[in-house]
Amino acid sequence: MSTTMTPLVIVRVHELALKGQNRPFFKRTLFENLRFALRDLPIARLQERALRFLVRLEDPTVWPEVAERLRWVFGVANFSPGVETALSIEAMQQGLVEVLERQGAPAASFRIRVKRTNKNFPLTSPELERELGRFVQKRTGTPVDLSDPDVTYQVEVLYDRALVSGQSIPGPGGLPIGVSGRVVALLSGGFDSPVAAYRLMKRGCFVTFVHFHAYPYVRPISIEKVVELARHLSHYQPPKNRLVVVPIGDAQREIALAAEPSLRVVLYRRLMLRIATAIAHEEGAGAIVTGESLGQVASQTLENMRAIGAVTDLPILRPLVGNNKDEIIAEAVRIGTEPISRVPDDDCCTVFVPLHPATRVTVEQAAAAEQAYDVEALVQQCLARRTVYEGDPFRWDPLMALAAATA
Ligand code: ATP
Ligand code: MG
């Protein structure tokens, strides 16, 4: 009889995130993101029930693949494989038998945790925990350990059914992508900027990636890396991926001819930020994200950040500002961007610049230096040669951006 229960995966969200006015929007967005993440798997049904999402599997063997997909869906606090049962102690016991059959007996110890949404159920949570605990102990011979068990079985008592599940697996947390709007992330190919973009994705933002390169003055590796990074990060976002690749080598050369060497890095950055701002307005993005970390390199001083930031009317978000390189790289390893970022490339900001760029450029100095060339014209020239990638990142061809840069 145990085989008649539909296998399912119970997906839980942080309850705090579900409070307040945005709740319906949050739930709808997460529902759509889950549906997208699981789109090609044999899923009988995806349902939202009492602040949980239930994924009914056509067959329990898809569980590992479902688990792999759920690891990438922001807003998921944790999830566990289980079954749905009727609202009786016998049915819950039968559900536990099913879970035990599928996962094997608990190793050294276990506990049962009951969560009772339905306060009318005749037993209280502690009573039910004891009752079901005794049952599992008798069946498996494994002792209960309330403080540090190997496995925690969860029984969630809802109004019309109970959910019985095994050990839960942590999800990525955060907010579902889409609830916080769109941002433009400046993606360089280094370690920092993909981590910065990830942080904003985790706070519920769609990210449009923007990359600047100096090809044909340098090798085109950074473009290949950025396409690869966008592919990797797209595992987290539903299909609204966008990458804009902008050639700025010619503009940099013009700036280099007109401006004092020590100011060039700041002037390049001001150009990048002006272009990024124009793109952000087109994209309907509310902010620009960078991987800057205070004091990490010469251009990242408070003075230079101010001189660079002065050219945009959008907030610049620097989620890594207080992190050091080790912390950032550790996070890059965790999210999987590190092996891509590690590949050596040519940084466009090092084209035509001295070994020791100025660390304290004022807004006035930068603006004065820009009198020597037509900044607005450079912005327009660069924008005119951009390549916009959208849709499925696995179809994006880096050669397109190369062709546009030399056209
Ligand atoms: P990263 O590791 O992200 O390359 P970094 O330590 O090399 O950063 P900088 O070169 O000062 O530091 O760049 C600071 C930030 O400016 C980057 O994190 C990125 O957001 C942006 N940026 C720099 N170069 C580019 C580029 N070529 N295209 C797009 N964004 C860039
Ligand atoms: Mg860099």
Side-chain angles (χ1 to χ4, degrees):
M1 61 182 158
S2 62
T3 48
T4 58
M5 280 184 251
T6 323
L8 49 81
V9 180
I10 300 149
V11 181
R12 303 177 189 87
V13 300
H14 284 295
E15 286 177 30
L16 256 187
L18 281 171
K19 290 220 166 77
Q21 286 188 332
N22 285 330
R23 187 154 126 177
F25 178 48
F26 180 106
K27 280 199 297 196
R28 211 176 336 115
T29 307
L30 184 51
F31 186 88
E32 288 308 322
N33 293 355
L34 285 168
R35 193 155 68 174
F36 178 75
L38 304 171
R39 65 195 176 285
D40 54 342
L41 299 180
I43 303 301
R45 196 144 174 227
L46 174 64
Q47 259 184 316
E48 187 252 319
R49 273 288 173 282
L51 307 189
R52 293 162 189 79
F53 293 87
L54 306 183
V55 187
R56 273 164 228 282
L57 311 180
E58 279 174 13
D59 129 34
T61 60
V62 294
W63 153 249
E65 185 55 33
V66 170
E68 171 58 26
R69 303 288 177 91
L70 292 176
R71 285 180 39 215
W72 302 85
V73 182
F74 291 126
V76 172
N78 64 70
F79 54 94
S80 41
V83 291
E84 186 176 69
T85 75
L87 264 191
S88 70
I89 295 176
E90 297 69 38
M92 293 175 202
Q93 290 172 338
Q94 196 49 51
L96 282 164
V97 169
E98 181 89 355
V99 169
L100 288 168
E101 272 173 14
R102 223 171 278 156
Q103 298 177 8
S109 60
F110 76 95
R111 74 169 289 183
I112 307 264
R113 185 175 284 139
V114 171
K115 200 156 179 220
R116 208 175 50 136
T117 307
N118 176 357
K119 302 294 179 202
N120 296 326
F121 192 77
L123 270 64
T124 64
S125 300
E127 285 167 354
L128 197 51
E129 283 174 1
R130 275 195 296 276
E131 184 72 31
L132 296 173
R134 265 198 299 274
F135 173 80
V136 172
Q137 186 165 8
K138 221 156 109 192
R139 201 181 161 89
T140 60
T142 311
V144 172
D145 179 348
L146 295 182
S147 58
D148 185 25
D150 284 329
V151 185
T152 298
Y153 298 99
Q154 295 199 58
V155 178
E156 296 162 84
V157 183
L158 309 184
Y159 286 94
D160 56 345
R161 66 188 94 187
L163 305 174
V164 177
S165 58
Q167 185 67 30
S168 71
I169 295 170
L175 301 176
I177 289 205
V179 299
S180 306
R182 189 176 278 276
V183 293
V184 153
L186 303 189
L187 202 57
S188 64
F191 289 110
D192 307 337
S193 46
V195 176
Y198 170 90
R199 293 269 187 99
L200 267 294
M201 294 168 109
K202 189 168 175 180
R203 296 314 299 163
C205 291
F206 277 121
V207 172
T208 296
F209 303 110
V210 175
H211 176 62
F212 301 98
H213 68 86
Y215 178 81
Y217 299 95
V218 299
R219 295 174 301 159
I221 300 170
S222 71
I223 304 172
E224 289 158 22
K225 284 174 69 178
V226 163
V227 167
E228 206 49 54
L229 286 166
R231 280 180 185 153
H232 183 77
L233 291 170
S234 76
H235 282 107
Y236 295 98
Q237 29 186 9
K240 295 193 184 170
N241 299 292
R242 292 170 69 78
L243 164 67
V244 184
V245 177
V246 188
I248 59 165
D250 288 337
Q252 285 181 284
R253 200 176 54 165
E254 208 162 305
I255 293 172
L257 288 173
E260 190 195 316
S262 68
L263 296 180
R264 285 176 194 165
V265 172
V266 167
L267 298 176
Y268 295 163
R269 287 296 158 86
R270 281 166 62 100
L271 174 72
M272 286 186 186
L273 204 52
R274 284 190 173 93
I275 297 169
T277 302
I279 294 171
H281 286 312
E282 282 175 19
E283 297 275 313
I288 293 174
V289 185
T290 77
E292 288 166 296
S293 149
L294 189 60
Q296 193 185 81
V297 293
S299 62
Q300 298 175 12
T301 61
L302 288 181
E303 290 83 353
N304 286 358
M305 282 185 189
R306 182 172 178 206
I308 295 165
V311 302
T312 185
D313 59 336
L314 290 172
I316 300 179
L317 306 180
R318 302 178 176 93
L320 309 180
V321 73
N323 288 104
N324 62 39
K325 201 77 184 182
D326 295 343
E327 292 163 341
I328 296 169
I329 291 181
E331 189 164 340
V333 169
R334 268 200 309 282
I335 68 173
T337 54
E338 191 271 348
I340 308 168
S341 295
R342 195 193 321 143
V343 176
D345 63 17
D346 301 330
D347 184 342
C348 68
C349 280
T350 59
V351 191
F352 323 117
V353 295
L355 218 48
H356 299 290
T359 54
R360 291 167 177 230
V361 179
T362 64
V363 179
E364 294 72 27
Q365 274 177 302
E370 283 171 353
Q371 296 302 312
Y373 52 92
D374 186 345
V375 189
E376 210 24 60
L378 292 183
V379 170
Q380 294 310 324
Q381 278 163 32
C382 294
L383 280 171
R385 289 157 77 201
R386 80 191 118 156
T387 302
V388 180
Y389 294 96
E390 54 196 341
D392 178 0
F394 288 89
R395 294 166 188 253
W396 296 352
D397 179 0
L399 288 178
M400 262 174 69
L402 301 191
T406 48

